[in-house]
Each structure stands twice: as C-alpha cells, then as structure tokens.
Amino acid sequence: MLFYRVRIHQLSEMKELTSIIVLEEERSVDKISWTEDGQLLAVSTPRGNLHVYLTRLPILGDAHNTRISFLTSLLEVRKCARP
C-alpha cells in the first residue's frame, strides 16, 4: 500500500507533533498551501489530485428558548437544554 504523510508541527515547539495527514495511494506531494485564516490546508500531488483539509472547526451555535445547538464536527450538531 502506497501512502504519503504530511506532518504538522506547532512553530513554538517543533518537537511537538500536532497532527499527521495520510494521503493514501500517493507517492509524493507537489505543493502545500494554507488559506490566510489557517482553517484550510490544500495539498496537491504530481498526479493532479487535490486534497483539502479543515484544520480548525469554527464555533457555530444557536439558542432558542431552553435549547442550545452547536456544531461539534462537520457531520454532527449537538443539542442540549440550558441549565
């Protein structure tokens, strides 16, 4: 199985590994680019594939009466009652 890993480190502590992105079926990486706000990381490969990763999830939520809802992942919204 072929794969390539992109490792992300905090600039303040290079020894600390923040995350590893595994690109399956890729032999190498051509270019890497961040959006200005640092929320998206784009990785292109020599084969022409483009992988885009969400590095930070913005805090999104709303409240109505006694209920609160907030986004906990790209696929999940959590609902709770206000105390």
Side-chain angles (χ1 to χ4, degrees):
M1 178 178 194
L2 295 173
F3 62 91
Y4 195 81
R5 292 183 181 157
V6 177
R7 297 174 185 210
I8 301 173
H9 297 267
Q10 291 288 344
L11 288 177
S12 59
E13 183 59 51
M14 288 300 290
K15 292 180 183 178
E16 182 181 330
L17 185 62
T18 303
S19 63
I20 297 176
I21 298 169
V22 177
L23 302 174
E24 293 184 18
E25 301 298 323
E26 297 294 351
R27 295 175 189 245
S28 65
V29 169
D30 185 36
K31 295 180 183 175
I32 297 176
S33 183
W34 293 93
T35 56
E36 287 185 23
D37 62 4
Q39 287 191 5
L40 298 174
L41 172 66
V43 179
S44 67
T45 68
R47 293 171 44 181
N49 295 324
L50 179 64
H51 305 268
V52 180
Y53 299 92
L54 182 64
T55 59
R56 280 188 275 157
L57 187 63
I59 298 173
L60 296 174
D62 198 8
H64 179 71
N65 294 329
T66 61
R67 297 181 187 220
I68 300 171
S69 299
F70 55 95
L71 189 65
T72 55
S73 75
L74 290 176
L75 300 173
E76 180 182 40
V77 174
R78 183 163 295 171
K79 296 185 284 185
C80 356
R82 282 190 197 175

